[in-house]
Amino acid sequence: MNDRHENLFTQLQAYREDILLVLEGITAGQAEIVPDKFRNNIRWNMGHIYLDQYLWIEALTKEKSPVPEAFRTWFGYGSTPADFTEETPSFDELKDLLRQQPTCLRKAYGHRLEKEYPPTEMGMRTIEQVLIRTIFHEGMHLQAIMDIRKWL
């Protein structure tokens, strides 16, 4: 793996640790609250961050992701906490998934970050490009979590 790829995974890990640090001060009960003027809660944002990276990689590579199909219903674009069921991962389970994901992504895709695929609708052709996009997306949802936390 070259220096650029090492740096990408270092950034992915660091940004994920930022999210986990923000989550440390939040209880499972608080993670369920959808404040007025918000569509989702903290737990939804956590699951969405986790799912998004795999969905974009799947869209690019056309390979089935390791994420259970129900995650799309619970955390996919347009979903809300109203879609949650008793099987939806808990706050703590989602924290664990988020903590493990950078390592899982590195193991699964680190050796083929530059392999080219037919482009996505956004023109991304490599897993490296997808991960850069998802890091930006993750930052948007980190801000959403911090905004929700202000209302708790």
Side-chain angles (χ1 to χ4, degrees):
M1 191 175 296
N2 66 40
D3 287 346
R4 187 178 79 235
H5 297 154
E6 287 292 340
N7 184 264
L8 176 63
F9 282 109
T10 297
Q11 288 179 33
L12 181 61
Q13 184 67 45
Y15 298 141
R16 186 56 59 84
E17 288 172 10
D18 289 344
I19 289 174
L20 293 167
L21 186 62
V22 167
L23 294 173
E24 279 184 21
I26 297 168
T27 67
Q30 290 172 322
E32 300 303 315
I33 297 169
V34 180
D36 289 342
K37 311 247 187 231
F38 286 85
R39 177 178 161 91
N40 294 304
N41 59 25
I42 290 171
R43 185 164 64 127
W44 181 89
N45 278 277
M46 294 166 66
H48 185 73
I49 290 167
Y50 179 78
L51 174 64
D52 184 72
Q53 287 182 318
Y54 285 117
L55 287 182
W56 277 104
I57 292 170
E58 185 177 295
L60 177 70
T61 65
K62 308 299 184 230
E63 299 167 7
K64 183 77 176 117
S65 75
V67 179
E69 194 65 30
F71 271 64
R72 296 168 198 262
T73 301
W74 300 322
F75 305 115
Y77 180 80
S79 65
T80 72
D83 300 317
F84 289 179
T85 66
E86 289 186 21
E87 291 81 28
T88 305
S90 70
F91 177 68
D92 288 334
E93 289 169 326
L94 287 169
K95 278 199 296 190
D96 287 341
L97 289 171
L98 288 171
R99 187 173 291 109
Q100 297 164 12
Q101 190 176 26
T103 300
C104 293
L105 290 170
R106 183 183 189 116
K107 286 180 184 174
Y109 306 108
H111 63 286
R112 55 185 170 138
L113 291 174
E114 292 184 20
K115 180 179 177 184
E116 292 212 8
Y117 297 89
T120 67
E121 72 273 8
M122 291 182 68
M124 295 178 286
R125 293 180 177 273
T126 67
I127 294 170
E128 178 182 36
Q129 292 168 347
V130 165
L131 290 177
I132 291 167
R133 182 253 175 229
T134 63
I135 288 172
F136 169 78
H137 178 260
E138 189 165 319
M140 291 172 34
H141 285 279
L142 171 58
Q143 184 62 56
I145 291 168
M146 293 188 314
D147 289 345
I148 292 169
R149 189 177 66 176
K150 289 177 189 175
W151 292 94
L152 300 177

